[in-house]
Amino acid sequence: MKNRFFTIIAFLGLTALFFSSCSKVPQAEIDAANTAIEQAKLAGADVYVQDNFVALQDSLNNVMVSIESQKSKFIKNFSTAKEHLAGVTQYAGEVKQQAETRKEELKVEIQNTISEVKTLIETNRQLILEAPKGKEGTSALVAIKGEIDAVETSINETSTLFESGDYLATLDKAKAAKEKATAINTELSGVIAKYKTNVKNKKA
Amino acid sequence: MKNKILLLVSFLVLVIATVTSIRIKTNKPPEIEVMKAANMLAKAQYEKSPKFAKEAFHEATFHYNSAMTEWKKQNEKFILLRDYRKVSEFAKKSMEYSEKAIDKSRIFIASTEDILKIRIETIGQKIKGFEEYYGKFPLDKKRDNYTRCKLLYTESLHAYNSKNYSICKVKLDSVEIVINDVFNHCQENLINYFEDYSKWNEMVKITISWSKKNQSYAVIVDKLNRELYLYKNGKPDKKYTVELGANWIGDKIQQGDKTTPEGLYKIVEKKQNGQTKYYKALLLDYPNEEDKKRFSMNKRNGILNQDAEIGNLIEIHGSGGKGIDWTDGCIALTDKEMDEIFKSCTIGTKVTIVGSVKTLSELSYNIK
């Protein structure tokens, strides 16, 4: 009878041990997921791939809820949570990559726009030289020159913004400068074309 | 004795098992509530609540974190002593705040979008209006600010299209300050300029009656509207568009101010091609006696430097039609138009240059 009693106790103890082996909170996996999310954030995921970053955080929150839920149970099982955490960590890596790709795309777009604006500035300065002048040369073109200068100042300011890493604002600024430089180019070309037509008519 | 102990232990185990199972059944972990709170929080983030409904979103996050902390705290306790009611309360509160944040954010975005759209349109109209009415007004140092402001306006449009509303608002604020400033500056200048209207009107009347009386041509130049009227026997015969000096507003004060003078003048020389670097020219008798008198007075009063010169060689000439004000104070026309005027005018033809032949109220300047 005594032996039987101890056998039952031993069986219960072993069963408890079996379940406890699965009941350890997957802290290492939680830490890995958090670190991966933090790295994605450092890569600018919360700015450049905002929606994906929110989805990522939401996934982690859901896993944390399921972990607490398991912790509340008498018999705990974290194996599903572990799988999900691995998934979150992997997804965080992907989101980080997406953010970096988007940043690279923006950088290229910014550099191209800046380069286009610089070319337009040069062309516009050249057009100024061809534009009709008064007795004292360029007096009537001062306003347009001022506009070209303002575009140049603005495009120089984009470098500071670019260095600060705010690529979205930088692109907006560069695009605005491009629009203005293009408008000046159209205006100057129009004036020159009109002037040339007049000169041609005069010769005819 | 042994049987009694076994019975007692079994009974105790049974009691504990019953109590535990009842307790577990009645004190279920709030998984569904917390999960819902987490999802609602994510939804609030998608709806840009952290940006547009900061307070409500902050409360939602705070209550969600509190729910999780409380849950952890309860889980650390012995299973029979756990109480998840607070966790549920926090989760519910978090959901409430998330919902509030979502609503607020949606309303804010919709209203901000509308407000900014209206502001963009209004300011755009203002810039367009400014270009239309005051585009040719000399702005001096304010020109740089205005140029910068136009660039900022374009930037604000980009910010709006990228849904970057706070940046768009900041840029529009700056644009509005500058455009209002230059608008007021030009409006003030225009009102001041028109203080001379009665004088201009008198000069126009004198010129027309001279043309009528002498049965000859006379020229009236309207600087503001860039128009040259050719009168014949006291009646308007033809109208031409002219180009002036870059700093055309106001009367000419001294040499080099790039201003077209205002007053009663007459043609003193007709220059054929070869006698002028432009396409034909009609030389005016600027400075006349009145100009000389005013120039000397300005010098005496210290308005002008002692080494200032009065200027001369004010002409009506060709080589114009460039579409911009480019002369140093002369009046330029296209060569074809110059031919017509040159043919009609003789030495002695009166040329009257005024700010405007129309009153300010007759012009569409919408002065407030």
Side-chain angles (χ1 to χ4, degrees):
Chain A
M1 185 68 195
K2 199 178 176 181
N3 282 345
R4 218 174 184 183
F5 178 70
F6 282 118
T7 310
I8 290 167
I9 294 291
F11 174 73
L12 286 172
L14 279 172
T15 310
L17 195 70
F18 171 75
F19 282 114
S20 71
S21 65
C22 300
S23 69
K24 217 174 169 192
V25 175
Q27 196 53 50
E29 284 85 350
I30 294 173
D31 292 344
N34 274 319
T35 308
I37 289 177
E38 198 49 44
Q39 279 172 351
K41 196 177 178 182
L42 280 174
D46 56 337
V47 178
Y48 300 105
V49 278
Q50 241 175 36
D51 285 356
N52 292 2
F53 187 72
V54 172
L56 178 65
Q57 277 182 318
D58 185 44
S59 298
L60 181 70
N61 281 344
N62 281 306
V63 181
M64 292 312 291
V65 170
S66 73
I67 287 172
E68 283 312 316
S69 180
Q70 287 301 320
K71 276 164 76 180
S72 305
K73 289 178 183 168
F74 183 67
I75 298 164
K76 304 164 180 50
N77 183 357
F78 293 109
S79 52
T80 312
K82 268 187 188 176
E83 278 170 26
H84 287 166
L85 281 168
V88 169
T89 309
Q90 193 193 332
Y91 184 41
E94 286 166 18
V95 171
K96 183 188 169 196
Q97 190 55 49
Q98 284 166 0
E100 277 163 357
T101 308
R102 178 75 191 118
K103 262 164 47 175
E104 284 311 309
E105 283 170 1
L106 282 170
K107 277 186 200 175
V108 171
E109 199 178 346
I110 290 165
Q111 276 157 353
N112 287 343
T113 311
I114 289 176
S115 157
E116 282 176 74
V117 176
K118 282 185 176 168
T119 310
L120 274 168
I121 290 171
E122 281 309 306
T123 313
N124 288 344
R125 290 207 191 283
Q126 192 56 42
L127 286 175
I128 285 260
L129 298 176
E130 293 173 27
K133 297 168 185 69
K135 285 180 195 168
E136 289 179 8
T138 56
S139 63
L141 298 164
V142 166
I144 300 177
K145 264 188 174 175
E147 289 189 343
I148 298 173
D149 290 343
V151 172
E152 197 164 38
T153 310
S154 175
I155 213 71
N156 289 339
E157 282 167 4
T158 57
S159 308
T160 323
L161 261 178
F162 188 82
E163 276 159 27
S164 74
D166 193 349
Y167 302 124
L168 292 173
T170 311
L171 185 63
D172 274 348
K173 209 171 173 62
K175 275 183 177 172
K178 187 184 164 186
E179 219 166 273
K180 186 69 202 164
T182 310
I184 295 171
N185 190 276
T186 312
E187 189 185 350
L188 276 171
S189 303
V191 169
I192 291 166
K194 197 175 172 188
Y195 178 61
K196 280 182 178 166
T197 311
N198 285 340
V199 171
K200 210 175 160 185
N201 289 342
K202 185 182 156 187
K203 279 178 185 167
Chain B
M1 185 62 186
K2 269 182 191 170
N3 282 345
K4 268 186 181 174
I5 291 169
L6 259 176
L7 201 68
L8 191 68
V9 168
S10 304
F11 177 72
L12 277 173
V13 167
L14 198 69
V15 169
I16 290 168
T18 311
V19 170
T20 307
S21 60
I22 290 170
R23 181 69 183 151
I24 288 170
K25 282 229 163 181
T26 53
N27 190 31
K28 271 190 177 169
E31 188 182 354
I32 294 169
E33 287 103 312
V34 180
M35 198 71 93
K36 275 184 183 171
N39 294 340
M40 196 57 92
L41 201 63
K43 201 175 170 191
Q45 272 179 296
Y46 282 126
E47 297 283 346
K48 317 254 181 250
S49 304
K51 214 171 181 181
F52 303 124
K54 263 185 197 168
E55 272 181 38
F57 183 76
H58 173 80
E59 285 297 322
T61 313
F62 171 77
H63 282 91
Y64 178 77
N65 290 339
S66 301
M68 289 304 283
T69 312
E70 181 63 24
W71 199 358
K72 274 182 198 164
K73 204 171 116 189
Q74 291 302 324
N75 281 343
E76 279 162 14
K77 290 181 184 173
F78 177 59
I79 195 158
L80 295 180
L81 301 175
R82 291 173 191 171
D83 183 355
Y84 296 118
R85 279 174 300 178
K86 257 189 171 180
V87 181
S88 295
E89 275 170 34
F90 280 130
K92 277 178 194 163
K93 277 266 175 209
S94 172
M95 279 220 297
E96 278 172 27
Y97 278 112
S98 285
E99 275 167 11
K100 247 185 222 175
I102 291 167
D103 287 345
K104 273 191 175 178
S105 190
R106 281 180 182 165
I107 292 168
F108 183 84
I109 290 172
S111 63
T112 306
E113 260 177 5
D114 288 347
I115 291 167
L116 287 178
K117 202 176 170 189
I118 291 167
R119 278 191 78 193
I120 284 171
E121 276 168 17
T122 314
I123 295 172
Q125 288 294 326
K126 219 166 192 177
I127 292 176
K128 210 175 150 194
F130 182 81
E131 296 278 336
E132 196 181 328
Y133 298 131
Y134 301 112
K136 288 182 173 172
F137 265 57
L139 284 174
D140 307 320
K141 283 173 187 168
K142 285 184 191 286
R143 173 69 61 186
D144 288 348
N145 286 349
Y146 177 62
T147 306
R148 184 98 195 92
C149 136
K150 281 201 287 183
L151 205 57
L152 267 176
Y153 178 72
T154 316
E155 286 174 18
S156 72
L157 291 179
H158 283 281
Y160 179 82
N161 292 334
S162 326
K163 297 195 182 297
N164 218 333
Y165 300 128
S166 48
I167 288 182
C168 175
K169 189 189 169 293
V170 171
K171 288 186 190 281
L172 282 178
D173 287 346
S174 306
V175 171
E176 205 160 31
I177 290 170
V178 178
I179 191 74
N180 283 341
D181 180 46
V182 288
F183 220 108
N184 292 339
H185 170 79
C186 289
Q187 196 160 287
E188 227 175 270
N189 273 0
L190 189 68
I191 292 167
N192 290 340
Y193 190 41
F194 268 80
E195 280 177 5
D196 281 341
Y197 179 75
S198 56
K199 202 171 91 186
W200 301 335
N201 193 33
E202 196 54 39
M203 289 194 290
V204 169
K205 277 182 187 166
I206 291 169
T207 312
I208 294 171
S209 75
W210 179 88
S211 164
K212 197 177 175 182
K213 193 179 163 190
N214 291 281
Q215 289 293 293
S216 65
Y217 283 100
V219 172
I220 294 171
V221 177
D222 180 331
K223 284 168 67 178
L224 187 70
N225 296 298
R226 306 288 192 287
E227 279 163 353
L228 184 150
Y229 297 92
L230 187 65
Y231 275 78
K232 187 181 176 185
N233 307 333
K235 281 182 181 161
D237 185 37
K238 274 177 183 167
K239 192 169 87 175
Y240 305 94
T241 301
V242 294
E243 286 151 8
L244 306 171
N247 199 18
W248 58 271
I249 202 165
D251 199 357
K252 188 166 186 66
I253 297 176
Q254 61 177 315
Q255 191 172 49
D257 60 10
K258 299 185 199 315
T259 309
T260 306
E262 289 164 14
L264 290 165
Y265 302 102
K266 60 177 186 283
I267 294 167
V268 289
E269 191 185 343
K270 284 179 80 175
K271 295 180 181 175
Q272 290 288 350
N273 286 334
Q275 293 176 290
T276 167
K277 60 177 177 176
Y278 301 105
Y279 184 85
K280 294 181 182 172
L282 298 167
L283 179 67
L284 306 185
D285 63 339
Y286 175 85
N288 60 22
E289 286 312 309
E290 203 183 315
D291 294 322
K292 284 177 192 163
K293 219 187 284 173
R294 194 176 55 245
F295 179 75
S296 305
M297 201 170 68
N298 283 342
K299 253 187 166 180
R300 269 201 309 277
N301 295 340
I303 294 169
L304 291 173
N305 287 336
Q306 285 310 304
D307 54 354
E309 301 276 344
I310 192 164
N312 56 8
L313 282 175
I314 298 295
E315 301 169 336
I316 297 173
H317 58 63
S319 309
K322 298 175 183 180
I324 45 171
D325 290 320
W326 57 278
T327 74
D328 275 352
C330 292
I331 297 144
L333 299 112
T334 63
D335 298 346
K336 200 180 156 206
E337 290 165 344
M338 189 60 203
D339 279 336
E340 288 177 20
I341 292 175
F342 199 82
K343 213 184 278 174
S344 308
C345 296
T346 55
I347 289 175
T349 299
K350 276 207 181 294
V351 176
T352 296
I353 308 170
V354 293
S356 170
V357 294
K358 290 176 185 161
T359 61
L360 194 49
S361 53
E362 280 174 292
L363 299 164
S364 52
Y365 274 91
N366 194 20
I367 300 284
K368 284 167 194 164

